[in-house]
């Protein structure tokens, strides 16, 4: 289970200000804390909305530089802008995560071209103009993206589809749609999965309980990766435990290591 | 009238059957439609809104209460006198072009409807001209726009500009919101109001 730490994201006010004010210490500390907590990748989103693309390219380069100087973990370049992505991949090289593509015309092919060039694992959202509410609608978009990827020469192992978590507070069956979509991804041989899952608990109390339980259901269906806040200890502990119980942790090695590192309690 | 308190209570607990019964009782006792709406149904919804703000009630419960409220309104509506409005104002809502986030917008819609506004929801990824056409056609009191991406926020300013070009800007108050939006940005975009969350939006629109 690959954990992508989501905390360096300019939609949060503190991070946005840190980027604008070039507060390297703040960004470095977020990178370090996530890495220590067990994140495998550090997501970097610098869309502050305060300037033009050229500014965002500079922001991305700066933030990636800070992260690379702090932790020895690969990053995930989180952007909708081609130039920003390109600059990020040029800096970080092969194997850098791309977050994300969807079926939006124009962007998909351009992003896939970069994914191929840099052999990048890529988050793919089954979204066109809106989020399809039903499983079938999501799979239609998955189909479209897989076909484009096959054509672009992107290996299927590098496609991480997000089956899309929506709040159960608004529609109490929405998590079932997510789980079923994840199951049906298996129709596409080789593709992988990831999820930004905290949306599921929006509008309800004790969100971590829901997130954690959902996480375990997803893992049971073969989820490969999650985009989340790794500082939530309960979530990280549940992942370690889930890996053991699903037979993905030989001799319980990672579980015991996590225990000794204080991640389980 | 004690019965109005019971109407409010029924809305708060989200019991549609109770709401029907109590509203009918209130009418039978000679209560006016406006009084039943303002001091019964809306009172109950106001309590729900406050409890939601305080983290005592949650989205599913607010939705149930809003449905119960609607049931009550439907019963008293025919009893309104000529010229009396059963709603506080007319609002057009939408998420701007390029943006498909609808959670926040839907929450605002729910809270506004619950507070007696008539809401026309244009959905997500709404292009500038659709906002303008809808304002022209429906003549709302308020236009509300949502953006969840820093990359789509500038659409708000474009809509305001287009309203000006079409001579519609002075007919409507513009309120904006969404995670990356703030007071300063709202002003830059030429909006009249900024709300940080759904409750603040309702508060602002009711009281300003």
């Amino acid at each position: 289970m690959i954990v992508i730490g989501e905390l360096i994201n300019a939609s949060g006010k503190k991070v946005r200000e840190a980027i604008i004010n070039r507060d390297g210490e703040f960004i470095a500390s977020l990178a370090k804390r996530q890495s220590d907590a067990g994140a495998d990748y550090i997501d970097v989103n610098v869309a502050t909305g305060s300037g033009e693309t050229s500014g965002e390219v500079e922001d991305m380069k700066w933030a990636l530089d800070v992260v690379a100087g702090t932790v020895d973990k690969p990053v995930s370049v989180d952007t909708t802008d081609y130039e920003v992505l390109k600059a990020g991949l040029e800096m970080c090289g092969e194997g850098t995560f791309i977050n994300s593509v969807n079926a939006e015309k124009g962007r998909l092919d351009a992003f896939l071209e970069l994914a191929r060039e840099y052999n990048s694992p890529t988050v793919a959202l089954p979204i066109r103009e809106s989020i399809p509410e039903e499983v079938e609608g999501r799979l239609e978009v998955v189909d479209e993206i897989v076909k484009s990827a096959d054509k672009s020469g992107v290996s299927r192992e590098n496609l991480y589809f997000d089956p899309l978590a929506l709040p159960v507070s608004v529609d109490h069956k929405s998590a079932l749609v997510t789980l079923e979509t994840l199951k049906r991804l298996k129709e596409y041989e080789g593709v992988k999965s990831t999820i930004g899952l905290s949306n599921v608990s929006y509008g309800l109390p004790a969100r971590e309980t829901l997130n954690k339980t959902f996480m375990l259901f997803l893992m049971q269906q073969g989820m490969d990766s999650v985009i989340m806040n790794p500082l939530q200890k309960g979530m990280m502990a549940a992942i370690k435990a889930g890996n053991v119980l699903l037979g993905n942790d030989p001799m319980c090695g990672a579980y015991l290591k996590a225990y000794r590192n204080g991640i389980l309690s | 009238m004690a019965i109005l308190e019971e109407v409010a209570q029924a809305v708060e607990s989200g019991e549609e059957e109770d709401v029907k019964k109590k509203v009918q009782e209130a009418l039978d006792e000679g209560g006016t439609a406006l009084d039943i709406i303002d001091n019964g149904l809306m009172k109950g919804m106001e309590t729900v809104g406050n409890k939601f703000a305080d983290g005592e009630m949650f989205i599913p419960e607010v939705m149930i209460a809003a449905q119960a409220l609607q049931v009550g309104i439907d019963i008293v509506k025919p009893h309104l006198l000529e010229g009396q409005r059963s709603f506080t104002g007319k609002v057009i809502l939408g998420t701007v072009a390029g943006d498909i986030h609808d959670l926040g917008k839907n929450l605002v819609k729910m809270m506004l409807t619950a507070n007696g506004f008539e809401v026309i929801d244009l959905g997500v990824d709404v292009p500038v001209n659709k906002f303008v056409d809808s304002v022209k056609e429906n003549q709302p009191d308020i236009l509300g726009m949502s953006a969840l991406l820093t990359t789509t926020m500038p659409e708000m300013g474009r809509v305001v500009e287009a309203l000006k070009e079409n001579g519609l800007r002075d007919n409507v108050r513009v309120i904006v919101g969404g995670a990356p939006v703030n007071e300063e940005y709202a002003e830059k975009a030429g909006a009249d109001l900024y709300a940080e969350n759904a409750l603040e939006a309702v508060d602002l629109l009711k009281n300003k």
Side-chain angles (χ1 to χ4, degrees), chain A residues 10-11 16 45 47-50 56 80 104 127-131 167-171 199 202-205, chain B residues 52 57-60 63 98-100 103-104 106-107 124-125 148-151 153 179-182 185 188:
Chain A
S11 64
R16 185 158 64 232
N45 174 308
T48 57
S50 57
E56 211 172 305
T80 54
E104 197 184 299
I127 294 175
R128 206 175 281 121
E129 276 86 29
S130 63
I131 295 178
V168 282
S169 63
V170 177
D171 173 1
N199 216 10
Y202 175 87
L204 289 170
Chain B
F52 177 66
M57 284 179 82
F58 302 95
I59 289 180
M63 286 167 75
D99 205 323
I100 59 160
L103 271 182
N106 290 348
L107 201 56
V124 299
D125 192 14
L148 259 289
L149 300 170
T150 51
T151 46
M153 287 195 301
V181 184
N182 56 28
Y185 193 85
K188 203 173 113 191

Side-chain angles (χ1 to χ4, degrees), chain A residues 56 59 65 92 97 102 120 127 146 148 152 155 167 175 177 184 190 201 210 212 230 233 252 255-256:
Chain A
E56 211 172 305
D59 289 347
D65 201 44
C92 302
F97 238 100
N102 60 25
S120 279
I127 294 175
V146 169
S148 295
S152 304
S155 88
V177 174
R184 297 273 306 273
S201 58
L210 274 169
K212 205 159 66 181
K233 272 189 152 185
C252 312
Y255 184 79
L256 293 172

Side-chain angles (χ1 to χ4, degrees), chain A residues 35-56:
Chain A
S35 173
D36 289 348
D40 300 296
Y41 285 79
I42 308 294
D43 189 72
V44 179
N45 174 308
V46 296
T48 57
S50 57
E52 303 299 313
T53 292
S54 60
E56 211 172 305

Side-chain angles (χ1 to χ4, degrees), chain A residues 161 163 177-186 193-194 217-219 221-224:
Chain A
F161 280 98
V177 174
T178 312
L179 283 163
E180 182 62 21
T181 304
L182 175 60
K183 247 192 238 178
R184 297 273 306 273
L185 281 177
K186 288 176 191 138
S193 51
T194 189
F217 289 157
L218 291 162
M219 286 177 78
Q221 288 301 330
M223 180 59 76
D224 297 296

Side-chain angles (χ1 to χ4, degrees), chain B residues 14-171:
Chain B
E15 299 286 348
E16 289 184 20
E17 289 310 313
D18 269 7
V19 171
K20 278 186 202 162
K21 213 172 95 198
K22 297 296 174 191
V23 165
Q24 196 51 56
E25 273 180 51
L27 285 170
D28 293 345
E29 284 184 26
T32 68
L34 212 54
D35 200 28
I36 295 170
I37 291 175
D38 286 348
N39 300 315
L41 294 166
M42 288 302 174
K43 251 299 175 351
M45 204 59 215
E46 208 177 294
T47 310
V48 171
N50 290 336
K51 288 193 171 177
F52 177 66
D54 293 340
E56 287 172 41
M57 284 179 82
F58 302 95
I59 289 180
E61 294 165 321
V62 179
M63 286 167 75
I64 292 168
Q67 278 163 14
L69 171 85
Q70 196 55 53
V71 167
I73 300 254
D74 288 345
I75 297 173
V76 287
K77 229 180 193 168
H79 300 272
L80 281 171
L81 302 174
E82 188 119 355
Q84 279 180 339
R85 299 204 305 180
S86 65
F87 51 84
T88 332
K90 196 195 271 188
V91 187
I92 290 177
L93 281 185
T95 303
V96 298
D99 205 323
I100 59 160
H101 294 86
D102 62 359
L103 271 182
K105 177 202 45 99
N106 290 348
L107 201 56
V108 172
K109 176 184 173 184
M110 193 170 86
M111 294 304 293
L112 284 174
T113 309
N115 280 278
F117 287 87
E118 182 188 0
V119 179
I120 300 166
D121 182 3
L122 300 181
V124 299
D125 192 14
V126 180
V128 172
N129 60 357
K130 195 166 165 192
F131 276 116
V132 173
D133 290 348
S134 183
V135 168
K136 214 179 277 175
E137 188 188 324
N138 297 298
Q139 306 190 334
D141 307 292
I142 297 141
L143 170 65
M145 288 182 279
S146 168
L148 259 289
L149 300 170
T150 51
T151 46
T152 55
M153 287 195 301
E155 282 293 314
M156 296 173 161
R158 283 177 208 137
V159 173
V160 173
E161 275 309 307
L163 288 175
K164 279 186 196 156
E165 283 162 21
N166 286 275
L168 297 164
R169 181 65 186 88
D170 296 336
N171 307 350

